[in-house]
Amino acid sequence: MKNGDTNIRNTENGFVAIERRSEKRLADEHELTISVLSGGRNLPKDKIIHTLCKDISPSGVRIQSHSFLPVDTPLTVKVLLKNPPEFITAFGKVRWIKSLFADEFYEMGLELFHAPG
């Protein structure tokens, strides 16, 4: 059985979650600015989106937003890390999306390219 990026295995004592991610993730919230690049389909009217992100790694980030971004939407992502304070900029694209509230609020997974490790 799988749940997102975690394998879930049934054992004698119940279920045990085993992490499949190969890179360390930062669980803190960070400020994030997304610039939607041209070339995608069904793009939102807002080309720049400001939000908070969690679960960030050199290859991806999980965000929540009121803006719907279709899978494979090309992006530029700028993240403000907290400790030490620094900006990280990377290209990326939307890998998955799910509606959290009546198609008015969404959670998305973004794949990042050329992000520093």
Side-chain angles (χ1 to χ4, degrees):
M1 180 189 293
K2 290 185 179 180
N3 180 13
D5 288 332
T6 304
N7 286 331
I8 299 176
R9 294 192 180 147
N10 192 2
T11 65
E12 256 181 58
N13 300 328
F15 291 101
V16 175
I18 300 170
E19 184 67 51
R20 290 187 308 138
R21 294 179 180 132
S22 60
E23 297 177 308
K24 182 180 176 187
R25 292 191 170 241
L26 302 175
D28 298 336
E29 282 191 342
H30 300 278
E31 293 178 35
L32 180 107
T33 302
I34 298 169
S35 300
V36 178
L37 302 175
S38 62
R41 295 182 182 190
N42 301 319
L43 298 177
K45 63 179 180 175
D46 298 327
K47 300 295 184 201
I48 297 178
I49 300 165
H50 301 280
T51 189
L52 295 175
C53 65
K54 283 188 171 183
D55 245 5
I56 187 168
S57 78
S59 63
V61 62
R62 179 173 51 105
I63 67 164
Q64 293 181 344
S65 174
H66 289 283
S67 297
F68 176 86
L69 296 171
V71 170
D72 291 330
T73 299
L75 312 163
T76 299
V77 178
K78 188 173 186 178
V79 181
L80 174 59
L81 297 178
K82 291 182 180 180
N83 195 7
E86 82 177 287
F87 279 103
I88 303 293
T89 302
F91 293 106
K93 69 178 177 179
V94 178
R95 295 298 289 171
W96 57 266
I97 184 166
K98 70 178 178 180
S99 175
L100 296 180
F101 180 74
D103 288 338
E104 293 181 16
F105 197 67
Y106 305 93
E107 183 172 68
M108 291 170 261
L110 308 181
E111 181 178 10
L112 303 178
F113 309 101
H114 308 294

